[in-house]
Structures are given as structure tokens and as C-alpha cells.
């Protein structure tokens, strides 16, 4: 019979991937990625939108020309405002009254904003009332940021309480660590790409936390099932049982992630990329990167970190030592594995060297003797033929 492919073995949980055994590699990769993300925060920073940095926005009808022409004429109009005013971003947005260009600029006061609007209208030869403008103060962005951080702290605290009640504190620490790792890596990608940080970005970050938590809980639930009562036998270490749980739940997590990433990928690559819906790209990027990283961190970081923490527990340490000691004794022939001898006593009993040498020749329980049978004696029949006619002594 041909060997099963990797996909079918993954579905059956029989892939045998050694995730826990390579945990030092995953920790090293995670540390490197975190370092790169932190470097990106320091060197590139984030491109804050006017909601956070403060500024003005002007909505100009798309019928005036191309987006490049619009941006060039707005820059000319801003030159009259002085104080180093410049264009931050320009994007095409669809509305109920038709398409328009949204041009975001640095902070302008009310008098400057009105002067720029009149100048833009003259540049395009349209009525100034056709151009609408908005002004956002930096204080509003600071308020949004502080509330987002408060929401993040409350969410993590509630997650910790839930996981401690549902599992244990070590699982809670491992899960929250993977959530924080997820946020850092997603923010790092966002910083490298240079997308504008908007309120939609903040909403996206809070959304991926829930998805990442779901992924971790799925894996940890299987780990708890496999390790329940593990110290009662000496067959598996805690890390081996956790690795088996990863293999058994890997396909489920993968299917969930792929199904979630398909619509988000459509939002990012088709909506923002092909159709030019610029307001979707910030939310789409955060969700796509965050969900992909959540799958990886739940498998490669959360569970290996849990095993690392559990291996410091004295009860698990003693259990792991018993398992390894038993395997060493089996390898040296100091104990008899279950079913390897004809004894009906409990397995793993110590034996003397001579008995161990003859253990391979000992018959199994219920097996026929290997020696030569005596003539006339078959099974349990007595010599002389038993009740066979003519076999007994005639009287």
C-alpha cells in the first residue's frame, strides 16, 4: 500500500511534525522578528493620519481631472497659505453624490483653510461651495489612542481571567504572550509598509486579538485533553503529549485561518488594490497580516512556551525524568516491556541478566510448546487413545 500524503496525514493528525522539539528555533525566529519590528518602530515610525496627528481634509469632485493633477494644484494653493503647509495623502473615494478626491493636509487654522479652499476653487474653475473641508485637532487623536490602549488593557485582563479559570495560569501566560507577539509583528509590518494609521487600523488591531485568542484556545483545549492524568503513566513526557495535540489540531486551525483569510484577502487585494478603494487598505492589511500571524503564533509560539513553563513545574519535572529513565532501562534491557515475556505479572518488572537473556525464547501465554511432542499424547487426551474406539485396553 502506498504511503499516505502529507495532506491526508494532517487530516488524521498523523503528520508527526516535531514542533515542540524545535522550540528553540521558533523562539529564536520570534526574537529576531520582534527585534526587526522594534527597529522599524524606531527608524520608520508610523504614518499617522489626520485623526491622530491633526490636520485638514478637502473633498474635491473627481470631475476636475486626474488625482495627480488635483494633488499638484492643491499643493500650489497651499503654497499661498504659508507656514510650511503641505499635502499628506490623496485618495479617491466614492460617495453618494459621486466620486471625489480627498486631499489631507497638515494643520491649518480656520482662516488658512478658507483661503486654501478659495484658491483650490480658482485653480479648478469651480464654485468654492463644491469643495467641502474638515478639520481635526491633534487632541482628538490623542483621545482615541488613549481609549484604544485602555480597551487593549481591559481585553488582556479579561482574557487572563478567563484562561486561568478555563485552563491554568501557565496557559494564560503563554496565550497572552502570543497575543502580544501578534500585535508587535502586525504593527511591524504596518510600519514597514507605511500605510496611514486611521481609526480603522485601531479597530483592525482589536479585531485580530479575538481571532488570535480563538486559535490559541483550540490548541490548548487539545493539549489539556492529551495531558489530563499524564503523570499516571510513564509513556509520554508533557512535551510529547503537547506536540501530539498540535498535530491533531493543526488541520482544524489551518482550515479556520484559510477560510477567514479568503474574504480579508479579497478586501485587501481586490477592493483596495484593483478597485482602488483606499479606505479599505488600512483595515484589510491589519486583518490579513494579523490573522496569518495568529495562526503561526498559536502553533509555533504559544504551545512551545507553555511546555517551557510546565517543564519548570516539579510534578512535571519528576514525570519527565521517570519517562526518560524507563526508556533508558528498556534500551539497556534492565526491564521487560509489556507483552515481551510469558509472565502474567505486571509489566516493567526488574529481571536478572540470565532471565533477560532467555526472555526472547520464553513462550507467550496460551502459545503451544515449541518442544517435541511425546508419541501418543495429543492435547489433553491420555495415552492409549482415550475414548477412541479400539484405543483402550480390552477387558
Amino acid at each position: 500500500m502506498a504511503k499516505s500524503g502529507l495532506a491526508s496525514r494532517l487530516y488524521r493528525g498523523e503528520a508527526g511534525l516535531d514542533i515542540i522539539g524545535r522550540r528553540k528555533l521558533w523562539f529564536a525566529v520570534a526574537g529576531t522578528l520582534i527585534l526587526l519590528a522594534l527597529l522599524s518602530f524606531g527608524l520608520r515610525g508610523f504614518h499617522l493620519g489626520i485623526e491622530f496627528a491633526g490636520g485638514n481634509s478637502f473633498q474635491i469632485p473627481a470631475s476636475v481631472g486626474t488625482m495627480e493633477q488635483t494633488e499638484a494644484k492643491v499643493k500650489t494653493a497651499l503654497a499661498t497659505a504659508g507656514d510650511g503647509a503641505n499635502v499628506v495623502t490623496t485618495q479617491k473615494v466614492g460617495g453618494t453624490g459621486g466620486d471625489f478626491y480627498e486631499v489631507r493636509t497638515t494643520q491649518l487654522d480656520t482662516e488658512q483653510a478658507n483661503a486654501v479652499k478659495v484658491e483650490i476653487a480658482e485653480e479648478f474653475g469651480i464654485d468654492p461651495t463644491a469643495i467641502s473641508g474638515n478639520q481635526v485637532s491633534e487632541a482628538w487623536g490623542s483621545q482615541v489612542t488613549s481609549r484604544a490602549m485602555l480597551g487593549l488593557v481591559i481585553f488582556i485582563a479579561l482574557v487572563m481571567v478567563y484562561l486561568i479559570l478555563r485552563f491554568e495560569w501557565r496557559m494564560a501566560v503563554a496565550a497572552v504572550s502570543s497575543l502580544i507577539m501578534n500585535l508587535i509583528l502586525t504593527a511591524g509590518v504596518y510600519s514597514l509598509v507605511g500605510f496611514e494609521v486611521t481609526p480603522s487600523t485601531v479597530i483592525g488591531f482589536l479585531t485580530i486579538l479575538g481571532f488570535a485568542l480563538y486559535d490559541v484556545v483550540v490548541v490548548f483545549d487539545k493539549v489539556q485533553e492529551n495531558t489530563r492524568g499524564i503523570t499516571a503513566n510513564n509513556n509520554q513526557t508533557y512535551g510529547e503529549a503537547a506536540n501530539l495535540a498540535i498535530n491533531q489540531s493543526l488541520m482544524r486551525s489551518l482550515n479556520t485561518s484559510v477560510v477567514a483569510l479568503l474574504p480579508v484577502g479579497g478586501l485587501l487585494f481586490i477592493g483596495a488594490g484593483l478597485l482602488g478603494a483606499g479606505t479599505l487598505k488600512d483595515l484589510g492589511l491589519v486583518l490579513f497580516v494579523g490573522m496569518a500571524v495568529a495562526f503561526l503564533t498559536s502553533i509555533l509560539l504559544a504551545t512551545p512556551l507553555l511546555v517551557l513553563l510546565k517543564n519548570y513545574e516539579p510534578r512535571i519535572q519528576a514525570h519527565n525524568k521517570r519517562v526518560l529513565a524507563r526508556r533508558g532501562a528498556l534500551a539497556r534491557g534492565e526491564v521487560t516491556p509489556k507483552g515481551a515475556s510469558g509472565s502474567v505479572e505486571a509489566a516493567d518488572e526488574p529481571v536478572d541478566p540470565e532471565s533477560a537473556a532467555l526472555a526472547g525464547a520464553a513462550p507467550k501465554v496460551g502459545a503451544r510448546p515449541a518442544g517435541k511432542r511425546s508419541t501418543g499424547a495429543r492435547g489433553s487426551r491420555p495415552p492409549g487413545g482415550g475414548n477412541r474406539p479400539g484405543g483402550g485396553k480390552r477387558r
Side-chain angles (χ1 to χ4, degrees), residues 250-326:
L250 180 61
M251 207 62 199
R252 178 180 174 182
S253 297
L254 181 60
N255 287 336
T256 303
S257 300
V258 169
V259 170
L261 285 173
L262 286 176
V264 175
L267 181 73
L268 176 61
F269 299 110
I270 298 178
L274 297 180
L275 302 181
T279 54
L280 299 177
K281 65 181 183 180
D282 46 4
L283 177 62
L285 179 65
V286 168
L287 292 179
F288 188 85
V289 175
M291 289 180 176
V293 173
F295 166 72
L296 295 175
T297 54
S298 65
I299 300 296
L300 302 179
L301 182 66
T303 309
L305 183 57
L306 169 64
V307 172
L308 180 65
L309 294 175
K310 290 292 290 185
N311 284 342
Y312 284 104
E313 185 179 352
R315 182 176 63 93
I316 299 300
Q317 277 185 345
H319 168 73
N320 292 341
K321 289 179 181 178
R322 287 196 304 269
V323 173
L324 297 178
R326 173 180 177 271

Side-chain angles (χ1 to χ4, degrees), residues 234-247:
N234 296 330
N235 296 326
Q236 280 183 318
T237 63
Y238 188 93
E240 291 167 347
N243 192 76
L244 177 62
I246 292 177
N247 281 271

Side-chain angles (χ1 to χ4, degrees), residues 46 84 91 117 122 127 129 169-170 174 176 215 234 245 258 267 294 298-299 321-322 342-343 358:
F46 293 96
Q91 61 182 359
K117 185 186 295 186
E122 291 180 356
D127 194 296
T129 58
W169 71 266
R170 293 175 182 84
V176 170
D215 262 1
N234 296 330
V258 169
L267 181 73
S298 65
I299 300 296
K321 289 179 181 178
R322 287 196 304 269
S343 173
L358 297 174

Side-chain angles (χ1 to χ4, degrees), residues 101-322:
Y101 298 120
E102 183 178 42
V103 183
R104 297 182 175 184
T105 69
T106 52
Q107 189 79 48
L108 301 171
D109 58 33
T110 304
E111 184 179 349
Q112 289 174 326
N114 291 331
V116 169
K117 185 186 295 186
V118 172
E119 187 69 24
I120 293 174
E122 291 180 356
E123 288 284 341
F124 289 114
I126 60 177
D127 194 296
T129 58
I131 301 175
S132 59
N134 296 308
Q135 184 175 4
V136 180
S137 66
E138 187 177 356
W140 187 87
S142 301
Q143 186 178 12
V144 171
T145 303
S146 62
R147 289 185 177 181
M149 294 302 296
L150 178 62
L152 176 62
V153 171
I154 293 175
F155 176 84
I156 291 179
L158 292 177
V159 167
M160 285 288 291
V161 173
Y162 167 75
L163 291 176
I164 290 173
L165 296 177
R166 174 65 178 84
F167 299 108
E168 59 166 309
W169 71 266
R170 293 175 182 84
M171 287 188 173
V173 171
V176 170
S177 299
S178 70
L179 293 183
I180 296 175
M181 169 79 173
N182 193 12
L183 287 177
I184 293 175
L185 293 185
T186 305
V189 173
Y190 205 90
S191 173
L192 289 172
V193 173
F195 279 10
E196 190 177 41
V197 178
T198 65
S200 298
T201 308
V202 177
I203 294 173
F205 273 104
L206 297 178
T207 302
I208 62 175
L209 287 176
F211 185 86
L213 177 63
Y214 170 79
D215 262 1
V216 173
V217 169
V218 167
V219 179
F220 279 6
D221 186 67
K222 195 64 180 177
V223 172
Q224 186 185 53
E225 178 183 337
N226 285 3
T227 58
R228 186 178 289 113
I230 190 172
T231 56
N233 63 76
N234 296 330
N235 296 326
Q236 280 183 318
T237 63
Y238 188 93
E240 291 167 347
N243 192 76
L244 177 62
I246 292 177
N247 281 271
Q248 291 171 335
S249 58
L250 180 61
M251 207 62 199
R252 178 180 174 182
S253 297
L254 181 60
N255 287 336
T256 303
S257 300
V258 169
V259 170
L261 285 173
L262 286 176
V264 175
L267 181 73
L268 176 61
F269 299 110
I270 298 178
L274 297 180
L275 302 181
T279 54
L280 299 177
K281 65 181 183 180
D282 46 4
L283 177 62
L285 179 65
V286 168
L287 292 179
F288 188 85
V289 175
M291 289 180 176
V293 173
F295 166 72
L296 295 175
T297 54
S298 65
I299 300 296
L300 302 179
L301 182 66
T303 309
L305 183 57
L306 169 64
V307 172
L308 180 65
L309 294 175
K310 290 292 290 185
N311 284 342
Y312 284 104
E313 185 179 352
R315 182 176 63 93
I316 299 300
Q317 277 185 345
H319 168 73
N320 292 341
K321 289 179 181 178
R322 287 196 304 269

